[in-house]
Amino acid sequence: MGGMTETGSPNVQLAGPCPRQHAVIMAHYSRLSRIVVDAPEATHDAEVAFWSSAANLPLKQFHKFPEFYGAEMSAGYGMLVQRIGEGESRVHLDIHATDVAAEVARLKDLGATVVRDDGPWAIMRDPAGLVFCVVPDEDLNDENATRWP
């Protein structure tokens, strides 16, 4: 997986689920991919500076998604600092998938719930209520991800 993609992850402050259609589950790839620090406007720049220094990562702003600063880490993992509107700072994980609808269906079967699913990515909660995102990624394959039937 060369370089950090600019897909980033969504602002988890948004609400109002619009479930994606999950009628047919196709074989797809997915993997845990990003650690995302969600920071409100007031603390965002300080979070970028802190995590860039703490993790020794040159977090760079994405042109396509200016609310994200990110860098690639070892083994194909990445870190993002995301500017959110209001709300509390927190950390969430991104799962990248070649088929977001199929991955959302798989994770729902494991006990996750959908928070929002009406764009290119989906926002979900794990069984403990922790937020995570499922993000599209066409670069996954047998070499860098798990293939699900």
Side-chain angles (χ1 to χ4, degrees):
M1 219 165 111
M4 172 72 75
T5 64
E6 290 191 2
T7 55
S9 59
N11 179 339
V12 296
Q13 297 291 312
L14 301 175
C18 296
R20 195 181 304 262
Q21 295 297 320
H22 303 286
V24 178
I25 296 179
M26 303 293 289
H28 70 285
Y29 293 93
S30 70
R31 68 178 297 235
L32 184 61
S33 189
R34 303 285 180 253
I35 301 166
V36 185
V37 176
D38 299 318
E41 182 71 37
T43 60
H44 179 265
D45 293 346
E47 287 293 308
V48 170
F50 174 82
W51 285 108
S52 185
S53 294
N56 195 29
L57 292 170
L59 299 175
K60 297 181 181 177
Q61 187 174 26
F62 294 149
H63 296 289
K64 187 174 179 180
F65 298 101
E67 66 274 22
F68 294 103
Y69 284 71
E72 195 73 25
M73 296 176 359
S74 63
Y77 293 99
M79 180 172 195
L80 297 170
V81 176
Q82 172 182 229
R83 178 182 288 112
I84 59 173
E86 296 178 12
E88 295 183 28
S89 296
R90 65 178 161 208
V91 174
H92 77 266
L93 302 175
D94 281 357
I95 295 174
H96 283 202
T98 55
D99 183 333
V100 172
E103 184 68 0
V104 166
R106 185 182 80 80
L107 296 168
K108 282 176 64 176
D109 286 345
L110 296 173
T113 58
V114 175
V115 174
R116 184 172 180 171
D117 187 7
D118 63 349
W121 50 67
I123 304 168
M124 302 185 77
R125 289 191 185 276
D126 70 12
L130 301 174
V131 171
F132 67 95
C133 298
V134 180
V135 179
D137 189 336
E138 296 177 4
D139 295 329
L140 301 180
N141 56 53
D142 286 321
E143 301 293 318
N144 61 13
T146 300
R147 184 180 189 277
W148 302 102

Coordinates of all heavy atoms in Angstrom, one line a residue, residues 41-107:
E41 N -11.9 22.1 16.9 CA -11.2 23.2 16.3 C -10.2 23.9 17.3 O -9.1 24.2 16.9 CB -12.2 24.3 15.8 CG -11.6 25.5 15.1 CD -11.0 25.2 13.8 OE1 -11.6 24.4 13.0 OE2 -10.0 25.8 13.4
A42 N -10.7 24.1 18.5 CA -9.9 24.8 19.5 C -8.5 24.2 19.8 O -7.6 24.8 20.2 CB -10.7 25.1 20.8
T43 N -8.5 22.8 19.7 CA -7.3 22.1 20.1 C -6.6 21.4 19.0 O -5.6 20.7 19.2 CB -7.6 21.1 21.2 OG1 -8.5 20.1 20.7 CG2 -8.1 21.8 22.5
H44 N -7.2 21.5 17.8 CA -6.7 20.7 16.6 C -5.2 21.0 16.3 O -4.4 20.0 16.2 CB -7.5 21.0 15.4 CG -7.0 20.3 14.2 ND1 -6.1 20.9 13.3 CD2 -7.2 19.1 13.7 CE1 -5.9 20.0 12.3 NE2 -6.5 18.9 12.6
D45 N -4.8 22.2 16.2 CA -3.4 22.5 15.9 C -2.4 22.0 16.9 O -1.4 21.5 16.6 CB -3.2 24.0 15.7 CG -3.9 24.5 14.4 OD1 -4.3 23.7 13.6 OD2 -4.1 25.7 14.3
A46 N -2.8 22.1 18.2 CA -2.0 21.6 19.3 C -1.9 20.1 19.2 O -0.8 19.5 19.5 CB -2.5 22.0 20.6
E47 N -3.0 19.4 18.8 CA -3.0 17.9 18.7 C -2.1 17.5 17.5 O -1.3 16.5 17.7 CB -4.4 17.4 18.4 CG -5.3 17.4 19.6 CD -4.8 16.5 20.7 OE1 -4.6 15.3 20.4 OE2 -4.7 16.9 21.9
V48 N -2.1 18.2 16.4 CA -1.2 17.9 15.3 C 0.2 18.0 15.7 O 1.0 17.1 15.5 CB -1.5 18.8 14.1 CG1 -0.5 18.6 13.0 CG2 -2.9 18.5 13.5
A49 N 0.6 19.1 16.4 CA 1.9 19.3 16.8 C 2.4 18.3 17.8 O 3.5 17.7 17.7 CB 2.1 20.7 17.5
F50 N 1.5 18.0 18.8 CA 1.8 17.0 19.8 C 2.1 15.6 19.2 O 3.1 15.0 19.4 CB 0.7 16.9 20.9 CG 0.9 15.7 21.8 CD1 1.8 15.9 22.9 CD2 0.3 14.5 21.7 CE1 2.1 14.9 23.8 CE2 0.6 13.5 22.5 CZ 1.4 13.6 23.6
W51 N 1.1 15.1 18.4 CA 1.2 13.7 17.8 C 2.3 13.6 16.8 O 2.9 12.6 16.7 CB -0.1 13.3 17.3 CG -1.0 12.9 18.5 CD1 -2.1 13.6 18.9 CD2 -0.8 11.8 19.3 NE1 -2.6 12.9 20.0 CE2 -1.9 11.8 20.3 CE3 0.1 10.7 19.4 CZ2 -2.0 10.9 21.3 CZ3 0.0 9.8 20.4 CH2 -1.1 9.9 21.4
S52 N 2.6 14.7 16.1 CA 3.7 14.7 15.1 C 5.0 14.5 15.9 O 5.8 13.7 15.5 CB 3.7 16.0 14.3 OG 4.7 16.0 13.4
S53 N 5.2 15.2 17.0 CA 6.4 15.0 17.8 C 6.4 13.7 18.6 O 7.4 13.0 18.6 CB 6.5 16.2 18.8 OG 6.7 17.4 18.1
A54 N 5.3 13.4 19.2 CA 5.2 12.2 20.1 C 5.4 10.9 19.3 O 6.1 10.0 19.7 CB 3.9 12.1 20.8
A55 N 4.9 10.8 18.1 CA 5.0 9.7 17.2 C 6.2 9.8 16.2 O 6.4 8.8 15.4 CB 3.7 9.4 16.5
N56 N 6.8 10.9 16.2 CA 7.9 11.2 15.3 C 7.4 11.0 13.8 O 8.1 10.3 13.0 CB 9.2 10.3 15.5 CG 10.4 10.9 14.8 OD1 10.5 12.0 14.5 ND2 11.3 9.9 14.5
L57 N 6.3 11.6 13.5 CA 5.6 11.5 12.2 C 5.4 12.9 11.7 O 4.9 13.7 12.3 CB 4.3 10.8 12.3 CG 4.3 9.3 12.7 CD1 2.8 8.9 12.9 CD2 4.9 8.5 11.6
P58 N 5.8 13.1 10.4 CA 5.5 14.4 9.8 C 4.1 14.4 9.3 O 3.8 14.0 8.2 CB 6.5 14.4 8.6 CG 6.7 13.0 8.3 CD 6.6 12.2 9.6
L59 N 3.2 14.8 10.2 CA 1.7 14.9 9.8 C 1.5 16.0 8.8 O 1.7 17.2 9.2 CB 0.9 15.0 11.1 CG 1.0 13.9 12.1 CD1 0.2 14.2 13.3 CD2 0.6 12.6 11.5
K60 N 1.1 15.7 7.6 CA 0.8 16.7 6.6 C -0.6 16.8 6.3 O -1.4 15.8 6.3 CB 1.6 16.2 5.3 CG 3.1 16.2 5.5 CD 3.8 15.8 4.3 CE 5.3 15.8 4.6 NZ 6.1 15.4 3.4
Q61 N -1.0 18.0 6.0 CA -2.4 18.3 5.6 C -2.8 17.7 4.3 O -2.0 17.9 3.3 CB -2.7 19.8 5.7 CG -4.2 20.1 5.5 CD -4.4 21.6 5.7 OE1 -3.6 22.5 5.5 NE2 -5.6 22.0 6.1
F62 N -4.0 17.1 4.2 CA -4.4 16.6 2.9 C -5.1 17.8 2.1 O -5.9 18.5 2.7 CB -5.4 15.5 3.0 CG -4.9 14.2 3.7 CD1 -5.6 13.4 4.5 CD2 -3.5 13.9 3.5 CE1 -5.1 12.3 5.0 CE2 -3.0 12.7 4.0 CZ -3.8 11.9 4.8
H63 N -4.8 17.9 0.8 CA -5.4 18.9 0.0 C -6.9 18.7 -0.2 O -7.7 19.5 -0.1 CB -4.7 19.1 -1.3 CG -3.3 19.6 -1.1 ND1 -3.0 20.9 -0.7 CD2 -2.1 19.0 -1.2 CE1 -1.7 21.0 -0.6 NE2 -1.1 19.8 -0.9
K64 N -7.2 17.4 -0.5 CA -8.6 17.0 -0.8 C -9.5 17.1 0.4 O -10.7 17.4 0.3 CB -8.6 15.6 -1.4 CG -10.0 15.2 -1.9 CD -9.9 13.8 -2.6 CE -11.2 13.4 -3.1 NZ -11.2 12.1 -3.8
F65 N -8.9 16.7 1.6 CA -9.7 16.8 2.8 C -8.9 17.6 3.9 O -8.2 17.0 4.7 CB -9.9 15.3 3.4 CG -10.7 14.5 2.5 CD1 -10.1 13.5 1.6 CD2 -12.1 14.6 2.4 CE1 -10.8 12.7 0.8 CE2 -12.8 13.8 1.6 CZ -12.2 12.9 0.8
P66 N -9.0 18.9 3.8 CA -8.1 19.8 4.7 C -8.4 19.6 6.2 O -7.5 20.1 6.9 CB -8.5 21.2 4.2 CG -9.8 21.1 3.5 CD -9.9 19.7 3.0
E67 N -9.4 18.9 6.6 CA -9.6 18.7 8.0 C -8.8 17.6 8.5 O -8.7 17.3 9.7 CB -11.1 18.4 8.3 CG -11.7 17.1 7.7 CD -12.2 17.2 6.3 OE1 -11.8 18.1 5.5 OE2 -13.0 16.3 5.9
F68 N -8.0 16.9 7.7 CA -7.1 15.8 8.1 C -5.7 16.1 7.9 O -5.3 16.7 6.9 CB -7.4 14.6 7.2 CG -8.8 14.0 7.4 CD1 -9.8 14.2 6.5 CD2 -9.0 13.2 8.6 CE1 -11.1 13.7 6.7 CE2 -10.3 12.7 8.8 CZ -11.3 12.9 7.9
Y69 N -4.9 15.8 8.9 CA -3.4 15.7 8.8 C -3.0 14.3 9.0 O -3.6 13.6 9.9 CB -2.8 16.6 9.9 CG -2.9 18.1 9.6 CD1 -4.1 18.8 9.7 CD2 -1.7 18.8 9.3 CE1 -4.1 20.1 9.4 CE2 -1.8 20.2 9.0 CZ -3.0 20.8 9.1 OH -3.0 22.2 8.9
G70 N -2.1 13.8 8.2 CA -1.8 12.3 8.4 C -0.4 12.0 7.9 O 0.3 12.8 7.3
A71 N 0.0 10.7 8.3 CA 1.3 10.2 7.9 C 1.2 8.7 7.9 O 0.4 8.1 8.7 CB 2.4 10.6 8.8
E72 N 1.9 8.0 7.1 CA 2.1 6.6 7.0 C 3.0 6.1 8.2 O 4.0 6.8 8.5 CB 2.7 6.2 5.7 CG 2.5 4.7 5.4 CD 1.1 4.3 5.0 OE1 0.3 5.1 4.6 OE2 0.8 3.1 5.2
M73 N 2.6 5.0 8.8 CA 3.5 4.5 9.9 C 4.0 3.1 9.3 O 3.9 2.8 8.2 CB 2.7 4.3 11.1 CG 2.2 5.6 11.7 SD 1.1 5.5 13.2 CE 0.9 3.9 13.6
S74 N 4.7 2.4 10.2 CA 5.2 1.1 9.7 C 4.1 0.1 9.4 O 3.0 0.2 9.9 CB 6.2 0.5 10.8 OG 5.4 0.3 12.0
A75 N 4.5 -0.9 8.6 CA 3.6 -2.0 8.3 C 2.3 -1.6 7.6 O 1.3 -2.3 7.7 CB 3.3 -2.9 9.5
G76 N 2.3 -0.4 7.0 CA 1.2 0.0 6.2 C 0.1 0.7 7.1 O -1.0 1.0 6.5
Y77 N 0.3 0.9 8.3 CA -0.7 1.6 9.2 C -0.4 3.1 9.1 O 0.7 3.5 8.7 CB -0.5 1.1 10.6 CG -0.9 -0.3 10.9 CD1 0.0 -1.3 10.9 CD2 -2.3 -0.6 11.0 CE1 -0.4 -2.6 11.1 CE2 -2.7 -2.0 11.1 CZ -1.7 -2.9 11.2 OH -2.1 -4.2 11.4
G78 N -1.4 3.8 9.4 CA -1.3 5.3 9.3 C -1.9 6.0 10.5 O -2.7 5.3 11.3
M79 N -1.6 7.2 10.7 CA -2.2 8.0 11.8 C -2.8 9.3 11.2 O -2.2 9.9 10.3 CB -1.1 8.4 12.8 CG -1.7 9.2 13.9 SD -0.4 9.4 15.2 CE -1.5 10.0 16.5
L80 N -3.9 9.7 11.6 CA -4.6 10.9 11.2 C -5.0 11.7 12.4 O -5.3 11.1 13.5 CB -5.9 10.6 10.4 CG -5.8 9.8 9.1 CD1 -7.2 9.4 8.7 CD2 -5.1 10.6 8.1
V81 N -4.9 13.0 12.3 CA -5.5 13.9 13.2 C -6.6 14.7 12.5 O -6.3 15.3 11.4 CB -4.5 14.9 13.9 CG1 -5.2 15.9 14.8 CG2 -3.4 14.2 14.6
Q82 N -7.8 14.5 12.9 CA -9.0 15.0 12.2 C -9.6 16.2 13.0 O -9.9 16.1 14.2 CB -10.0 13.9 12.1 CG -11.4 14.4 11.6 CD -12.4 13.3 11.5 OE1 -13.0 13.1 10.5 NE2 -12.5 12.5 12.6
R83 N -9.8 17.3 12.3 CA -10.5 18.5 12.9 C -12.0 18.2 12.8 O -12.6 17.9 11.8 CB -10.2 19.7 12.1 CG -10.9 21.0 12.6 CD -10.6 22.2 11.8 NE -9.2 22.7 12.0 CZ -8.3 22.6 11.0 NH1 -8.6 22.2 9.8 NH2 -7.1 23.0 11.3
I84 N -12.6 18.2 14.0 CA -14.1 18.1 14.1 C -14.6 19.4 14.5 O -13.9 20.3 15.0 CB -14.5 16.9 15.1 CG1 -13.9 17.2 16.5 CG2 -14.0 15.6 14.6 CD1 -14.4 16.2 17.6
G85 N -15.9 19.6 14.3 CA -16.5 20.9 14.6 C -16.5 21.1 16.1 O -15.7 21.7 16.7
E86 N -17.5 20.5 16.8 CA -17.6 20.5 18.3 C -17.5 19.1 18.8 O -17.6 18.2 18.1 CB -18.9 21.2 18.7 CG -19.0 22.7 18.2 CD -20.3 23.3 18.6 OE1 -21.1 22.7 19.4 OE2 -20.6 24.4 18.0
G87 N -17.4 19.0 20.1 CA -17.4 17.7 20.7 C -16.1 17.5 21.4 O -15.2 18.3 21.4
E88 N -16.0 16.3 22.1 CA -14.8 16.0 22.8 C -13.8 15.3 22.0 O -14.1 14.6 21.0 CB -15.2 15.0 24.0 CG -16.1 15.7 25.0 CD -16.5 14.7 26.1 OE1 -15.6 13.8 26.4 OE2 -17.5 14.9 26.7
S89 N -12.5 15.5 22.4 CA -11.4 14.8 21.7 C -11.6 13.3 22.0 O -12.0 12.9 23.1 CB -10.1 15.3 22.2 OG -9.9 16.7 21.9
R90 N -11.2 12.5 21.1 CA -11.2 11.1 21.2 C -10.3 10.4 20.2 O -9.9 11.1 19.2 CB -12.6 10.5 21.3 CG -13.3 10.7 19.9 CD -14.7 10.0 20.0 NE -15.5 10.6 18.9 CZ -16.8 10.7 18.9 NH1 -17.4 10.3 20.0 NH2 -17.4 11.1 17.9
V91 N -10.1 9.1 20.3 CA -9.4 8.4 19.3 C -10.3 7.3 18.7 O -11.1 6.7 19.5 CB -8.2 7.7 19.9 CG1 -7.5 6.8 18.9 CG2 -7.2 8.7 20.5
H92 N -10.3 7.1 17.4 CA -11.0 6.0 16.8 C -10.2 5.3 15.8 O -9.1 5.8 15.4 CB -12.4 6.5 16.2 CG -12.3 7.1 14.9 ND1 -12.2 8.5 14.8 CD2 -12.3 6.7 13.7 CE1 -12.2 8.8 13.5 NE2 -12.2 7.7 12.8
L93 N -10.6 4.1 15.4 CA -9.9 3.3 14.4 C -10.6 3.3 13.1 O -11.9 3.4 13.1 CB -9.7 1.9 14.9 CG -9.0 1.7 16.2 CD1 -9.1 0.2 16.7 CD2 -7.6 2.1 16.2
D94 N -9.9 3.2 12.0 CA -10.5 3.1 10.7 C -10.1 1.7 10.2 O -9.0 1.2 10.2 CB -9.9 4.1 9.7 CG -10.4 5.4 9.8 OD1 -11.4 5.7 10.6 OD2 -10.0 6.3 9.1
I95 N -11.2 1.0 9.6 CA -11.0 -0.2 8.9 C -11.2 0.1 7.5 O -12.2 0.7 7.1 CB -12.0 -1.3 9.4 CG1 -11.8 -1.7 10.8 CG2 -12.0 -2.5 8.4 CD1 -12.9 -2.6 11.4
H96 N -10.2 -0.2 6.6 CA -10.3 0.0 5.2 C -10.8 -1.3 4.6 O -10.5 -2.4 5.0 CB -8.9 0.4 4.6 CG -8.6 1.8 4.9 ND1 -7.7 2.5 4.1 CD2 -9.0 2.7 5.9 CE1 -7.5 3.7 4.6 NE2 -8.3 3.8 5.7
A97 N -11.6 -1.1 3.5 CA -12.3 -2.3 2.9 C -12.4 -2.0 1.4 O -12.7 -0.8 1.0 CB -13.6 -2.6 3.5
T98 N -12.3 -3.0 0.6 CA -12.6 -2.9 -0.9 C -14.1 -2.8 -1.2 O -14.5 -2.3 -2.2 CB -12.0 -4.1 -1.6 OG1 -12.5 -5.3 -1.1 CG2 -10.5 -4.1 -1.6
D99 N -14.9 -3.3 -0.3 CA -16.4 -3.2 -0.4 C -17.0 -2.7 0.9 O -17.1 -3.6 1.8 CB -16.9 -4.5 -0.8 CG -18.4 -4.5 -1.1 OD1 -19.1 -3.7 -0.5 OD2 -18.9 -5.4 -1.9
V100 N -17.2 -1.5 1.1 CA -17.7 -0.9 2.3 C -19.0 -1.6 2.8 O -19.2 -2.0 3.9 CB -17.9 0.6 2.3 CG1 -18.6 1.1 3.5 CG2 -16.5 1.3 2.1
A101 N -20.0 -1.8 1.8 CA -21.2 -2.4 2.2 C -21.1 -3.8 2.7 O -21.7 -4.2 3.7 CB -22.2 -2.4 1.0
A102 N -20.2 -4.6 2.1 CA -20.0 -6.0 2.5 C -19.3 -6.0 3.9 O -19.6 -6.8 4.8 CB -19.1 -6.7 1.5
E103 N -18.3 -5.1 4.1 CA -17.6 -5.0 5.4 C -18.6 -4.6 6.5 O -18.6 -5.1 7.6 CB -16.4 -4.1 5.3 CG -15.6 -4.1 6.6 CD -14.9 -5.4 6.9 OE1 -15.0 -6.4 6.2 OE2 -14.2 -5.4 8.0
V104 N -19.5 -3.6 6.2 CA -20.4 -3.1 7.2 C -21.3 -4.3 7.6 O -21.6 -4.6 8.8 CB -21.3 -1.9 6.7 CG1 -22.5 -1.7 7.5 CG2 -20.4 -0.7 6.7
A105 N -21.8 -5.1 6.6 CA -22.7 -6.2 6.9 C -21.9 -7.3 7.8 O -22.5 -7.8 8.7 CB -23.1 -6.9 5.6
R106 N -20.6 -7.5 7.4 CA -19.8 -8.5 8.2 C -19.7 -8.0 9.7 O -19.9 -8.8 10.6 CB -18.5 -8.6 7.6 CG -17.6 -9.7 8.2 CD -16.2 -9.7 7.5 NE -15.3 -8.7 8.0 CZ -14.6 -8.7 9.1 NH1 -14.7 -9.8 9.9 NH2 -13.9 -7.7 9.5
L107 N -19.4 -6.7 9.8 CA -19.2 -6.2 11.2 C -20.5 -6.2 12.0 O -20.5 -6.4 13.2 CB -18.5 -4.8 11.1 CG -17.1 -4.9 10.5 CD1 -16.6 -3.5 10.2 CD2 -16.2 -5.6 11.5

